[in-house]
């Protein structure tokens, strides 16, 4: 008796290995767009769930960005139900404008997935990102001049999110979708050059593979893994320092003694300063390198300069060897009164 095609076996094994900590009865949800990658993931998860005793369902997010998106989402949900997934839900979201269209759609999607996970009692949500998606993420981070955490790409395990296919190529995953008799839907946005990731996917990566090496996507993914190990170690160190040295006061202000930071390696110190800024109220998505560098100057390049302005109305100042980060009261009041405008 012959087994399944190698591509199908690989997708099943990837799911099985990443969910080896799950027990019978656990609910696993798959985020499914109807594309080849997420459909292949849904089918592989359902197969492994049947063997291990997990319950496997799905969430289809309708971003409402294209005509007919609601009917498409309903059709994808129907396909998943015929494949045996249960429960299967369609989550309709309103995409804002903060951070640009790609970031806004992602934020709305992840919020909907978290709501469904919490409400349904699922242990995890599976995402269909492949090794090629990882390579694209690394290149985007390079183009932005990002640090090690961004260049580390996506993690296979990130809280309640898991990505079983990060070690598999897009070609192999899509071969598994065909072998499973699936008929994927290609989102027109995936071919729209207005989106930066699309240009990386269709122009930059093929060019690099042509002039450097056909294995450049795999090499970029390996680089991400190495950087992730380094970033995890530095983040862990910074977390310990933050717990020991950063004081969060009842009124929301954050203080830290400069002497506790000066002897730290720069990579750790800047991470501690970023954590302090976030604790004081700066939004993580708006807090850039220029802001962290301004905090760094208050610690290691102190010459009596004034306060540093941070996103979210947070101000950082140094006095008597102590760094204080506090949110402007007017800004805090405004954000509380009009949360929908931020």
């Amino acid at each position: 008796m012959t087994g399944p095609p190698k591509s199908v076996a690989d997708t099943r094994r990837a799911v099985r290995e990443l969910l080896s900590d799950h027990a019978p009865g656990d609910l696993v949800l798959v985020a499914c767009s109807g594309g080849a990658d997420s459909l292949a993931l849904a089918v592989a998860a359902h197969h492994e769930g049947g063997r291990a005793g997990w319950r496997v369902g799905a969430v289809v997010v309708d971003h409402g960005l294209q005509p007919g998106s609601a009917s498409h989402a309903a059709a994808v949900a129907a396909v998943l139900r015929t494949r045996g997934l249960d429960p299967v839900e369609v989550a309709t979201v309103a995409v804002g404008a903060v951070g640009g269209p790609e970031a806004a759609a992602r934020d709305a999607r992840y919020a909907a997935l978290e709501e469904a996970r919490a409400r349904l009692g699922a242990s995890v949500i599976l995402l269909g990102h492949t090794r090629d998606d990882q390579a694209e993420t690394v290149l985007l981070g390079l183009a932005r001049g990002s640090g090690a955490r961004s260049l580390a790409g996506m993690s296979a395990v990130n809280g309640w999110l898991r990505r079983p296919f990060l070690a598999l190529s897009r070609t192999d995953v899509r071969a598994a979708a065909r072998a499973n008799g699936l008929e994927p839907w290609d989102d027109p946005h995936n071919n729209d050059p207005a989106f930066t990731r699309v240009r990386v996917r269709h122009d930059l990566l093929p060019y690099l593979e042509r002039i450097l090496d056909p294995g450049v996507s795999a090499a970029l993914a390996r680089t991400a893994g190495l950087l992730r190990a380094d970033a995890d170690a530095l983040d862990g160190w910074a977390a310990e320092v933050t717990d020991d040295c950063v004081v969060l006061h009842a009124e929301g202000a954050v203080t830290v003694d400069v002497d506790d930071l000066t002897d730290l390696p720069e990579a750790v110190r800047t991470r501690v300063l970023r954590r302090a800024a976030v604790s004081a109220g700066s939004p993580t998505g708006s807090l850039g390198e220029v802001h962290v560098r301004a905090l760094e100057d208050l610690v290691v390049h102190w010459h009596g300069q004034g306060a540093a302005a941070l996103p979210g109305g947070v101000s950082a100042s140094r006095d008597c060897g102590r760094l204080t980060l506090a949110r402007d009261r007017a800004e805090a009041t405004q954000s509380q009164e009009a949360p929908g405008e931020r």
Side-chain angles (χ1 to χ4, degrees):
M1 180 178 178
T2 60
K6 182 178 183 302
S7 60
V8 174
D10 287 346
T11 59
R12 293 174 178 177
R13 181 175 62 255
V15 171
R16 182 167 65 249
E17 290 177 351
L18 201 60
L19 295 182
S20 61
D21 58 342
H22 277 52
D26 286 349
L27 175 60
V28 174
L29 292 177
V30 179
C32 189
S33 66
D37 303 340
S38 59
L39 282 174
L41 177 58
V43 171
H46 179 258
H47 178 271
E48 291 303 313
R51 297 179 59 186
W54 319 318
R55 296 178 296 136
V56 179
V59 180
V60 182
V61 178
D62 173 17
H63 297 87
L65 297 176
Q66 302 172 59
S69 64
S71 59
H72 161 70
V76 173
V79 169
L80 295 172
R81 293 187 186 104
T82 64
R83 291 282 178 155
L85 280 78
D86 181 53
V88 176
E89 294 192 352
V90 173
T92 302
V93 300
V95 178
V98 177
E102 294 172 273
R106 182 179 61 249
D107 290 346
R109 178 167 62 254
Y110 279 73
L113 293 175
E114 164 60 1
E115 189 281 330
R117 185 201 66 81
R119 177 169 44 81
L120 296 173
S123 55
V124 294
I125 289 185
L126 306 184
L127 303 174
H129 296 115
T130 66
R131 187 175 67 199
D132 299 79
D133 295 306
Q134 185 76 297
E136 294 162 11
T137 300
V138 174
L139 287 174
L140 288 168
L142 282 169
R144 290 191 295 264
S146 302
R149 175 53 66 190
S150 180
L151 297 182
M154 298 173 285
S155 176
V157 177
N158 183 13
W160 49 269
L161 294 173
R162 298 200 183 184
R163 299 177 174 91
F165 290 172
L166 282 183
L168 302 180
S169 72
R170 183 177 293 135
T171 298
D172 289 341
V173 171
R174 295 189 174 184
R178 290 192 300 271
N180 279 313
L182 297 165
E183 297 183 6
W185 172 76
D186 280 327
D187 186 341
H189 285 168
N190 290 335
N191 296 300
D192 186 347
F195 296 103
T196 305
R197 183 176 286 270
V198 172
R199 298 195 297 274
V200 170
R201 178 175 303 170
H202 293 297
D203 298 329
L204 181 56
L205 261 177
Y207 175 74
L208 291 176
E209 291 181 343
R210 187 168 65 252
I211 67 169
L212 293 179
D213 189 284
V216 69
S217 292
L220 287 168
R222 287 196 301 274
T223 298
L226 295 171
L227 284 169
R228 190 177 310 111
D230 292 346
D232 286 345
L234 291 169
D235 286 346
W237 187 353
E240 292 178 1
V241 174
T242 301
D243 289 342
D244 291 340
C245 304
V246 176
V247 179
L248 177 61
H249 299 274
E251 68 276 14
V254 172
T255 59
V256 55
D257 287 337
V258 171
D259 288 343
D260 291 332
L261 301 178
T262 50
D263 292 334
L264 292 171
E266 179 182 336
V268 177
R269 183 172 56 245
T270 53
R271 282 169 163 80
V272 174
L273 291 170
R274 174 178 286 276
R275 286 171 174 267
V278 171
S279 295
S282 279
T284 55
S286 303
L287 193 64
E289 181 188 12
V290 64
H291 305 114
V292 178
R293 288 301 166 193
L295 293 174
E296 173 84 341
D297 287 345
L298 289 173
V299 176
V300 297
H301 301 298
W302 171 246
H303 52 78
Q305 65 265 40
L310 306 177
V314 174
S315 178
S317 59
R318 174 169 169 167
D319 184 52
C320 298
R322 175 175 294 179
L323 200 64
T324 300
L325 298 89
R327 198 172 186 185
D328 180 78
R329 291 183 180 276
E331 173 75 16
T333 301
Q334 182 181 12
S335 66
Q336 291 171 1
E337 292 177 349
E341 297 177 6
R342 291 187 60 80

